Amino acid sequence: PSFDFVELVQAAKTIVNEKRVLLLPNSRTALAVTVTKEADVKIIGHLGDVSRAISNLLENGIEATENAGSVNVQISGDTNSVTIAVSDDGKGIPAHLLRRIGVKGFSFGKSGSASGSGLGVFQAKSAVEAAGGQFVVRSREGEGTSIKLVFPVDQPSATENNRSVPHRNSEASRL
């Protein structure tokens, strides 16, 4: 399979702008993208998978703030890893449920009586773990939640027309 260099800053800004238009026309939730390492923050992966992960985490953050808080996407990187952190100042997750966050089918805290499908965070967790990265959840009830997707930086072994194959010999390394 072939892979793209995913420019995380542009992908995150695009998704945040889409959420502003689609989900927040009458909301008081503030969305922001913070970048601590500018435009060269790239990983090898599929733009659709990375975008879907960011989008899913953003939607959860917006729901957690109940349309009156803030949700921030922070992108940072160094020579070994790139981190996408989506944080909100919403209602938080009880400590006894944290270990279940990212389990397929588990959902918590959706507005109203209906709950989500439990696939959004699962997809984000699966994507980062398939790439050999880490999925980290920190939350405190009444204060908010932060979910970090930490991707290892991978150097391409072959590049052709801006398409690359990771040097790791694993088909699971899609991101």
Side-chain angles (χ1 to χ4, degrees):
S2 57
F3 296 83
D4 298 316
F5 282 106
V6 177
E7 296 186 19
L8 293 177
V9 175
Q10 186 56 47
K13 287 180 178 179
T14 298
I15 294 161
V16 165
N17 286 334
E18 288 172 0
K19 297 301 178 195
R20 281 188 182 120
V21 171
L22 296 174
L23 298 177
L24 300 174
N26 299 314
S27 174
R28 296 184 318 253
T29 297
L31 296 179
V33 176
T34 304
V35 181
T36 56
K37 183 179 176 185
E38 198 42 66
D40 289 341
V41 181
K42 297 179 184 178
I43 60 171
I44 296 173
H46 294 284
L47 179 60
D49 291 342
V50 174
S51 295
R52 186 171 32 260
I54 295 169
S55 179
N56 290 337
L57 296 177
L58 268 173
E59 286 185 29
N60 287 351
I62 292 166
E63 290 171 0
T65 64
E66 297 178 339
N67 297 320
S70 64
V71 180
N72 186 49
V73 178
Q74 182 175 14
I75 300 171
S76 59
D78 58 31
T79 57
N80 298 313
S81 64
V82 172
T83 300
I84 304 168
V86 179
S87 303
D88 65 67
D89 60 3
K91 55 189 165 191
I93 302 166
H96 71 279
L97 295 178
L98 285 175
R99 64 179 164 64
R100 295 183 60 199
I101 301 300
V103 172
K104 187 175 185 177
F106 178 75
S107 183
F108 170 76
K110 301 289 181 176
S111 297
S113 60
S115 190
S117 65
L119 296 178
V121 178
F122 169 75
Q123 180 273 332
K125 182 179 185 213
S126 296
V128 73
E129 288 179 347
Q134 296 178 315
F135 176 84
V136 181
V137 179
R138 298 205 193 310
S139 188
R140 187 170 291 216
E141 275 188 281
E143 294 181 19
T145 301
S146 175
I147 296 181
K148 293 181 180 182
L149 307 177
V150 183
F151 292 91
V153 173
D154 204 352
Q155 299 300 316
S157 61
T159 302
E160 180 182 330
N161 295 332
N162 205 26
R163 307 283 285 182
S164 300
V165 177
H167 74 273
R168 272 182 288 182
N169 203 8
S170 169
E171 216 165 300
S173 299
R174 292 183 26 168
L175 294 178

